[in-house]
Amino acid sequence: MMIALRYLNLILLVLFPVAWFAPLMRAGLLPLFGLSEISVISGLQSLWESDVALALLVTGFALFAPYLKTIGLALVHFGLLRRKVLPVLSYMGKLAMADIFLIALYIVVVKGVGWAKVETAWGLYLFTACILASIAISTLTMRALKK
């Protein structure tokens, strides 16, 4: 089981960057105009121009927390990092779920106002799946190492 968890975790090292550049949603002003695609990276670029503090927070949640957790988990899987860090790594993955919640909240708010059209895209599902897979892998790793 640990071998499968190792390789699933390593796959996340490739899938996370794909999810960051994949379209999370398509948004446009009123139904009359075309929709532009928004990804994690393009959203961060906009935030850096308008609100640096929020950009730092979202960068930490969306990029650093899940990727550092995945790297740390890989180090534990290959015996290069102690098992004692697993609770911290598990917590880091849960921080990324806050980012998904914010994206979903933005979609609900924008759709509720009715001035803009928003459609979810495949990147949102990929990013969510990566975060959930990361949480599952860390949980299963903690269980396997307790035996």
Side-chain angles (χ1 to χ4, degrees):
M1 180 160 148
M2 281 299 288
I3 293 173
L5 291 174
R6 277 184 193 176
Y7 290 113
L8 288 172
N9 190 56
L10 291 176
I11 290 169
L12 287 177
L13 289 174
V14 174
L15 289 179
F16 269 121
V18 171
W20 296 333
F21 288 94
L24 296 173
M25 64 185 99
R26 292 175 196 85
L29 188 61
L30 300 173
L32 306 172
F33 303 105
L35 301 177
S36 59
E37 291 185 339
I38 300 169
S39 67
V40 171
I41 297 300
S42 68
L44 284 173
Q45 288 172 334
S46 292
L47 274 178
W48 279 105
E49 294 170 5
S50 62
D51 190 346
V52 175
L54 184 58
L56 282 170
L57 188 66
V58 173
T59 300
F61 284 166
L63 302 181
F64 294 131
Y67 211 68
L68 288 175
K69 177 198 176 190
T70 304
I71 291 170
L73 204 49
L75 292 173
V76 170
H77 285 154
F78 288 98
L80 300 171
L81 192 62
R82 292 183 177 205
R83 299 176 190 180
K84 292 180 181 182
V85 300
L86 282 173
V88 173
L89 293 175
S90 179
Y91 183 73
M92 287 176 67
K94 292 174 184 157
L95 286 177
M97 284 303 295
D99 198 49
I100 292 170
F101 172 75
L102 285 175
I103 294 166
L105 184 64
Y106 294 150
I107 291 171
V108 169
V109 167
V110 170
K111 281 186 173 187
V113 171
W115 289 1
K117 182 176 181 180
V118 177
E119 299 173 355
T120 57
W122 64 272
L124 179 61
Y125 300 108
L126 177 61
F127 187 58
T128 304
C130 287
I131 299 299
L132 293 175
S134 179
I135 291 170
I137 290 168
S138 66
T139 302
L140 292 172
T141 298
M142 288 192 329
R143 286 183 187 168
L145 291 176
K146 283 184 182 178
K147 291 181 181 179

